[in-house]
Structure formats: C-alpha cells, structure tokens
C-alpha cells in the first residue's frame, strides 16, 4: 500500500451521494525513496493535483503528538489495579 501525505484542496459530492476529493500530492521521483524519511526534498519530488479521489482511498490521521492524550491538562494516571484481582494462573504467563 502506498502512503503519501496529501493536502485536501476541495471536497465534492457526486451523483451517488458519495464524496470525492481534489488533492495535492508530493510524489517522489525515485521509487526507492523511503516512506519514513521525514525530510521533504523538493528537488526529489513533484507536486501533483488529482481530481475525483474517492473517500475510501484517503486515511485521515493526526500529526504525531497532537492527539487528546498529549494535550496539556489531559488526565493521566496509573491504573493501580490490585494484584489479588487476577487469578494466580494468569500471573505466571510472562
């Protein structure tokens, strides 16, 4: 599965009541470029605009460390489950 960062430029509702998108992708020229490389080299990629991209082909994800658990003031606490709540047979599994 190819995964590329994209910018959504526009959303359209088609005649089947489904959304399609106009997106801008930064595609690498070299197929061997690693997807995990976090540096964007403009010299090694091309900007491409695609129309009528179906909604099922786009996966929306949060940027790293921007989810609710990383917000200032988020509730974080150890579970503090007493050990006697679990059967002894479960405790030796590791």
């Amino acid at each position: 599965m190819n995964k590329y960062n994209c910018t959504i430029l526009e959303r359209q509702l088609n005649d089947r009541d489904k959304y399609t998108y106009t997106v801008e992708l930064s595609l690498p020229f070299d197929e061997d470029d690693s997807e995990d490389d976090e540096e964007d080299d403009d010299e090694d990629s091309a900007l491409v605009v695609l129309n009528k991209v179906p909604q099922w082909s786009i996966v929306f994800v949060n940027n790293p460390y921007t989810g609710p658990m990383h917000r200032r003031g988020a509730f974080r606490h150890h579970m503090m489950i007493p050990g006697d709540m679990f059967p002894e047979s479960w405790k030796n599994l590791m």
Side-chain angles (χ1 to χ4, degrees):
M1 170 191 283
N2 293 332
K3 296 178 187 174
Y4 300 104
N5 289 332
C6 72
T7 302
I8 306 242
L9 302 176
E10 187 178 355
R11 181 176 79 164
Q12 305 91 16
L13 188 61
N14 66 15
D15 55 351
R16 295 184 190 134
D17 291 335
K18 303 223 179 203
Y19 285 108
T20 59
Y21 295 86
T22 301
V23 300
E24 181 181 66
L25 295 170
S26 179
L27 298 176
F29 287 133
D30 187 8
E31 291 294 325
D32 294 333
D33 281 353
S34 124
E35 292 178 10
D36 296 330
D37 189 14
E38 299 203 8
E39 290 183 23
D40 284 334
D41 293 334
D42 293 335
E43 299 170 2
D44 295 340
S45 63
L47 286 178
V48 178
V49 175
L50 298 175
N51 295 313
K52 297 186 179 181
V53 176
Q55 185 172 3
W56 58 264
S57 66
I58 299 173
V59 177
F60 294 96
V61 295
N62 290 334
N63 287 329
Y65 304 108
T66 61
M69 66 187 256
H70 297 288
R71 291 188 181 149
R72 192 173 305 162
F75 178 76
R76 296 181 199 88
H77 198 277
H78 293 287
M79 294 292 286
M80 312 271 288
I81 299 174
D84 60 351
M85 283 186 66
F86 300 103
E88 289 298 322
S89 60
W90 289 11
K91 295 179 185 178
N92 298 335
L93 293 178
M94 288 198 175

